[in-house]
Amino acid sequence: MFKRLPGDEARNLVSTTPDTAVVFQPAVVRTPAIITLVIYLYRFLIALVRTIWRHPVATAVPTALGFTWYQYGWPLAASLFGIVTLSLTSWAYLDRASFARLVGWRLLAWWRLMSVYQRHWQSVMDVSGLGKRVNGRVYLPRLVRVQCDGWADRITVRMLRGQAVKDWSDRIDNLAHGFGVTSCRVALIKGGRLLLIFPRRDPLATPIPALPVPEEPTVGPVEIGKQEDGRPLRLKVHGTHVLIAGATGAGKGSFLWDTIRGLLPAIRAGLAQVWALDPKLMELSFGRELFQGRYAADPADCADLLDEAVSVMQKRAARFAGLQRTHVPTIEDPFVLVLVDEVAFLTAYQPDKQLRQRISAALATLATQGRSVGVGVMAALQDPRKEVMNIRNLFPDKIALRLDESEQVDMVLGDGARDRGALADHISPIPEQGAGVAYMRLETSPEPIRVRAAYVSDTDIRAMVAQFGEAA
């Protein structure tokens, strides 16, 4: 082998000692200093252009002040700085919302980028396993942009080629603790790009009092609370079916009563009806006067009421056939919402097998055929297992309140929901902190959103009955 190498190259590649094996050393190619300087200068210019493009205000202000100081002296620069500071302070005091939108959140995003994310990006990527080393070269996902609002940081990331969303969703705990926050959520923007959401505070930590009854009759979406980003939570009930799952004391009643509260003007106007099935006799019985006599608690009566709803649905379908494909609420054909509290008692725990089969068949019929003719189902249960609720996939919109096990999250919201940040099993069991807090996955959006429903107290229900019970 060595005879084929010219000169003394074998000496440079091989070192031998009496007590060791042959060790091959890679050849070292010395790069001229001028090439190294050119490479570093090129990288600096690219970083400078990128910084100016992404943060024009943050770079323009110190540049202008430095130019003024150099050209006209420090007194003028200090005066200019004072005028700018006073103007921004006055703006923030007079119109906080516009200042935050145009200046405040941008400055916070720049600060968080420099002090948190860019500073710890490489170490977090390496430790979490999202960065890769190939042949001694380090490959890191690219931090594209940081955006801030009142409650969270939103980080746009370009994944490495060959990475999948699951690679990131499996490491949400690593990312959260690596950047000093309590949780992280992952959402796909488009091929190769992800959105990481890091909440800085919890805007849903305090209970929400009952919302005012709408002035105008509407069948939805009805406002029932607020979302984590501060926007109102409006739940669609007309033209869909809603499944609500949560452990005892999680706040399922809040979603039921908020929906009823939002439909009260439509009920009084004759555009909507709420049919209530209350096998526990504890939740919906408190306002039975609002249901126009369509209230059932005994399992046999519940089966009869469901059969009546199926009959209404089938008659409408026969009349609408060939004439219309969507339902428009009228006094003759009002929107019918079938509320079922603790549906598992009727579909799984009911000892009468024949009655159980009747109820299950009626619910399945309504869930598959009802929404196009104006008959919707809202069902609440504690145990989301398939053997307890075997028609849960027939509900387009799903809500998961506090659950006992992590596996139950995907049972309710669909596969992968918990990996994307729907930590329903981590919701606080303390009523003041966690009751009514839920993750909601809608038919129109596969990403779960964190929400909290307003709390409708017994006093609020009595007031609802007093105001709308007679008219209903």
Side-chain angles (χ1 to χ4, degrees), residues 89-147:
T89 304
S90 302
W91 182 9
Y93 180 77
L94 296 175
D95 191 352
R96 184 180 297 270
S98 65
F99 175 82
R101 185 178 68 256
L102 299 176
V103 178
W105 300 134
R106 295 172 184 264
L107 288 177
L108 179 62
W110 176 80
W111 173 252
R112 296 282 292 175
L113 170 65
M114 303 303 296
S115 64
V116 178
Y117 299 108
Q118 204 166 60
R119 178 183 177 186
H120 302 293
W121 187 254
Q122 181 170 352
S123 60
V124 173
M125 293 298 104
D126 284 340
V127 174
S128 63
L130 292 170
K132 303 297 179 182
R133 295 179 181 271
V134 180
N135 296 329
R137 185 174 180 180
V138 179
Y139 294 88
L140 295 177
R142 180 181 168 190
L143 179 60
V144 178
R145 183 171 58 177
V146 176
Q147 294 175 298

Side-chain angles (χ1 to χ4, degrees), residues 241-384:
H241 307 296
V242 183
L243 179 65
I244 305 170
T248 301
K252 296 185 293 295
S254 296
F255 284 89
L256 299 177
W257 281 112
D258 280 320
T259 302
I260 296 170
R261 190 174 179 87
L263 292 175
L264 285 177
I267 295 174
R268 181 165 59 182
L271 299 177
Q273 296 176 356
V274 176
W275 297 19
L277 282 69
D278 188 23
K280 289 197 307 183
L281 278 171
M282 293 301 296
E283 188 66 54
L284 301 177
S285 61
F286 210 61
R288 67 178 69 187
E289 292 87 352
L290 299 171
F291 305 132
Q292 302 174 326
R294 294 179 176 88
Y295 171 86
D298 183 77
D301 295 336
C302 291
D304 292 338
L305 193 60
L306 286 173
D307 288 339
E308 184 181 351
V310 171
S311 176
V312 170
M313 179 199 72
Q314 292 173 342
K315 290 178 181 178
R316 286 187 184 180
R319 286 190 288 109
F320 293 172
L323 299 177
Q324 64 185 71
R325 298 175 58 189
T326 57
H327 175 257
V328 178
T330 62
I331 296 178
E332 293 77 16
D333 294 308
F335 166 58
V336 176
L337 178 62
V338 180
L339 285 183
V340 189
D341 184 37
E342 198 46 61
V343 65
F345 178 80
L346 299 175
T347 60
Y349 306 141
Q350 173 55 233
D352 189 332
K353 181 178 180 181
Q354 185 176 3
L355 201 58
R356 186 171 67 245
Q357 291 175 346
R358 270 184 65 195
I359 293 172
S360 298
L363 283 173
T365 303
L366 292 174
T368 53
Q369 305 175 28
R371 63 175 179 170
S372 61
V373 294
V375 180
V377 179
M378 176 179 284
L381 76 162
Q382 295 183 24
D383 190 347

